[in-house]
Amino acid sequence: TFEAKVREIEADVAMAKAESVGGRRALIFLKSAVLALAFALLLPVNHGSPLAAATLLALGAMGAWPGFTETPAAFDLLFTALFIRLLRPRTRFRWKDAAAVAALTVLWANLHAPSAFLAVWFVGLKTFKATLRTGARERLGYWAMFVLAVLALSWNPHGWALLSRTFSDGAGYPGGWTAGWLSPWTAFALAGLAACWVTLQQEFVTTLIAATCIALSLALPALRPLAVLAACPAIALALGHVLRPRDDTWPRVLRWALLALGLLIVQRGVVAPLSRARGYGAPVLDGAAHFLRTSGAAGRLFNPPELGTELIGLTDRQVFTDGRPGLYTGQFIRDAQEWPRLWGQLDAIYRFDYAVLPNHRAGEPAAALDRDPAWRLAYADDDALVYVKRDGPNSLLYAQTKPRLAPPNRLWPESLDALIADPRRAAKVLAELDAWMVSAPAAVQPLIWKAYVLKRLKLVDQAEWLLGQAAARMGRDADPELTAMHGAVLQALGRPAEGAAALRRAAREARRRREGASEAAILARLRSGVTADVGEAARIDARLSELAAPAAAP
């Protein structure tokens, strides 16, 4: 039930309340306050210069930006900072500290259960360290604090079943960690491990908290922002061995403010949402969301998990599923992810009225809806497809939508050959492509396809011009399928070297994004044109075998 789902992740409840009161700005403010407090709490953990520590934390915040999304994982950073501040001091055991530990553990277990076990681990580190140098009475007190933390971990709607969900969302989160191994996280992880070697005797608990988070982040990408934060105090303490403490005079504070402003400008210009780098991930559903608002599509929606979060943010509609594993059973998520294979069963069970799907072309995953006369494609762009059902609240929209001669979810433009062989149908295809450009003016695929059709109609100059327009729109980090499509048309225009280069770029980008189906389709086409290059052909064959192996496994 909905009530049972809500109880599972209380952080989502808090975020939903904030959004219901103040809209998306209130939600962003709540998330920003949590993250800012997490970094601010670590400012006093420094080698003697708060400004140096502040600079380090500012760089850490820049390096951890992929984790700054409105998800329960944002609370992990705050609780880690609180535990570092609470457990770091070398003071005598106090029961008020034990009470604070219990309270924080309860909050963590209820706000973000998958990471709450870290609270017990942090307290265990403090208990182990305290038992080495304290008296018998204090040792008993610290062990009592550890037992209290263990018991507090179970004070959540899951009880002890929470342990079965430990790091269940650690492999990823909505948006993902978009940076690769050569990223700020790598620099902070290496610097943090080096600092741990220096500060182990000086700050045992702080050092091992940093080392734990860094080690976990190697296998669990979703914990990498947490690892960056945890590494900051260890690095700051290690810097105390090589940097002399300095008084923070007003001129130095002013210079630091200018430096912080410069970092903010760099962050905004390089990775912020409105920049060219699209650091938080370029929105892919803007066009589809606009269509849903203007067309009045209503009823029961189907969407794959990867689109749910953005649909919620852009349309405020009730989605079928999203990227939060705590709200859904594992089998439900797997069924939603397998929608191309299970579409008939899912539609029969849930009786969808419309569907928003990613425009993936390799393997034609949406072909099941194209073949079903009860469904019709109502909108398409480079990133998304919107289908509506013949019966139900969208019947009028279905009737107003013409069937597509050329479904957009096809990878290679040669799929148009049979249509454009007849001049009369070729004119209809061109008209359909023009209508597509009007309905999705930012789309690149209709430009590429029209260039191919014009080339087949021997209008080469017009085809070349359109292809140039498509290339200008795509930019450097284009979708690999669009880049491959562009390369295929270049080959058709008699430019095989440029076409092969585009296919190679597309294959590399698909591999970087871990889009195996796209990479395999692109490599297969590239392989057919490199028979003369024995070395490249062998490399492609080896990679195709690697990609085929998981699919062949039972």
Side-chain angles (χ1 to χ4, degrees):
T1 64
F2 175 76
E3 291 78 12
K5 290 179 180 179
V6 164
R7 289 201 307 271
E8 290 201 11
I9 301 183
E10 300 296 338
D12 285 324
V13 177
M15 291 178 173
K17 290 292 184 184
E19 187 171 15
S20 65
V21 172
R24 296 181 67 192
R25 290 188 177 183
L27 175 59
I28 293 172
F29 175 81
L30 172 62
K31 178 262 306 194
S32 301
V34 167
L35 295 171
L37 181 58
F39 281 87
L41 283 169
L42 297 181
L43 184 58
V45 185
N46 60 74
H47 68 280
S49 174
L51 289 184
T55 302
L56 180 65
L57 289 166
L59 292 171
M62 291 181 65
W65 64 263
F68 292 174
T69 52
E70 291 75 20
T71 65
F75 285 90
D76 292 347
L77 284 78
L78 176 59
F79 284 115
T80 298
L82 285 168
F83 272 98
I84 290 175
R85 289 293 303 274
L86 181 62
L87 301 176
R88 176 176 175 255
R90 298 179 180 179
T91 58
R92 296 179 64 85
F93 173 78
R94 297 177 297 186
W95 280 106
K96 66 177 184 180
D97 292 340
V101 162
L104 290 176
T105 304
V106 170
L107 285 172
W108 201 343
N110 283 276
L111 286 170
H112 191 214
S115 301
F117 178 74
L118 287 173
V120 175
W121 174 254
F122 296 162
V123 177
L125 293 175
K126 179 68 173 180
T127 302
F128 173 76
K129 179 65 170 66
T131 57
L132 298 179
R133 296 184 179 179
T134 58
R137 180 175 297 181
E138 285 205 66
R139 284 200 297 270
L140 287 176
Y142 279 110
W143 277 108
M145 182 171 69
F146 177 74
V147 172
L148 193 59
V150 173
L151 294 175
L153 190 66
S154 67
W155 297 343
N156 68 87
H158 301 282
W160 292 113
L162 168 145
L163 295 175
S164 66
R165 298 179 53 212
T166 298
F167 304 133
S168 60
D169 60 352
Y173 49 85
W177 179 273
T178 58
W181 285 94
L182 295 178
S183 67
W185 163 74
T186 306
F188 272 87
L190 294 175
L193 291 175
C196 289
W197 180 265
V198 175
T199 62
L200 182 60
Q201 296 298 323
Q202 175 187 357
E203 293 276 358
F204 181 85
V205 175
T206 304
T207 298
L208 286 191
I209 287 177
T212 298
C213 294
I214 293 171
L216 289 172
S217 71
L218 295 174
L220 304 172
L223 294 183
R224 290 177 182 177
L226 180 65
V228 172
L229 173 83
C232 285
I235 297 171
L237 292 169
L239 288 175
H241 294 269
V242 294
L243 295 180
R244 179 172 57 86
R246 305 182 70 178
D247 295 330
D248 296 327
T249 61
W250 279 111
R252 288 174 182 157
V253 172
L254 180 59
R255 287 197 297 270
W256 180 88
L258 293 175
L259 172 63
L261 179 61
L263 292 176
L264 179 62
I265 292 172
V266 170
Q267 178 81 359
R268 186 69 177 174
V270 175
V271 298
L274 299 180
S275 71
R276 289 177 299 173
R278 313 295 284 186
Y280 284 91
V284 298
L285 296 180
D286 280 346
H290 180 265
F291 173 80
L292 294 177
R293 287 192 296 268
T294 57
S295 67
R300 290 179 290 271
L301 165 67
F302 171 78
N303 65 276
E306 65 269 23
L307 299 186
T309 302
E310 190 175 351
L311 276 171
I312 293 172
L314 291 176
T315 67
D316 293 327
R317 294 174 181 245
Q318 183 175 353
V319 299
F320 180 65
T321 181
D322 57 59
R324 296 169 294 179
L327 291 179
Y328 312 95
T329 65
Q331 186 59 51
F332 183 86
I333 292 290
R334 287 190 291 273
D335 288 345
Q337 291 172 333
E338 291 290 321
W339 65 267
R341 182 175 59 87
L342 302 176
W343 174 251
Q345 296 94 309
L346 291 172
D347 189 26
I349 294 171
Y350 297 102
R351 300 182 180 276
F352 303 115
D353 296 306
Y354 65 111
V356 179
L357 306 175
N359 189 5
H360 292 160
R361 304 161 188 87
E364 302 178 7
L369 284 82
D370 294 330
R371 292 190 297 264
D372 190 339
W375 287 87
R376 183 167 290 174
L377 181 65
Y379 173 83
D381 57 29
D382 292 337
D383 302 300
L385 307 169
V386 179
Y387 287 83
V388 294
K389 203 171 192 177
R390 178 175 55 199
D391 302 321
N394 301 311
S395 57
L396 180 60
L397 183 56
Y398 179 96
Q400 293 173 341
T401 304
K402 294 182 179 180
R404 297 258 181 164
L405 288 173
N409 50 321
R410 303 294 186 269
L411 180 55
W412 304 118
E414 287 84 359
S415 61
L416 303 173
D417 285 349
L419 294 172
I420 59 180
D422 182 347
R424 288 174 297 179
R425 296 182 75 188
K428 291 181 179 180
V429 170
L430 285 173
E432 185 174 290
L433 293 174
D434 289 336
W436 186 4
M437 293 179 196
V438 173
S439 64
V444 174
Q445 184 176 346
L447 292 177
I448 298 175
W449 276 23
K450 187 173 181 179
Y452 180 79
V453 174
L454 291 175
K455 184 270 171 188
R456 290 294 308 272
L457 297 177
K458 303 187 184 306
L459 301 173
V460 178
D461 290 340
Q462 293 93 323
E464 292 276 6
W465 184 85
L466 272 180
L467 203 59
Q469 294 297 306
R473 285 192 191 182
M474 286 194 296
R476 293 183 308 165
D477 301 320
D479 179 278
E481 292 186 345
L482 292 176
T483 303
M485 200 181 297
H486 184 264
V489 179
L490 285 172
Q491 291 177 328
L493 285 167
R495 295 154 64 181
E498 296 175 61
L503 290 171
R504 293 186 185 96
R505 288 197 308 273
R508 289 194 297 270
E509 181 66 13
R511 184 169 187 173
R512 187 184 72 82
R513 298 187 186 193
R514 298 181 181 180
E515 297 176 1
S518 298
E519 185 186 358
I522 295 166
L523 287 176
R525 184 178 184 111
L526 184 61
R527 174 65 175 83
S528 64
V530 297
T531 52
D533 190 332
V534 178
E536 184 176 9
R539 289 191 295 272
I540 293 175
D541 288 340
R543 180 57 183 165
L544 287 173
S545 298
E546 293 177 15
L547 293 169

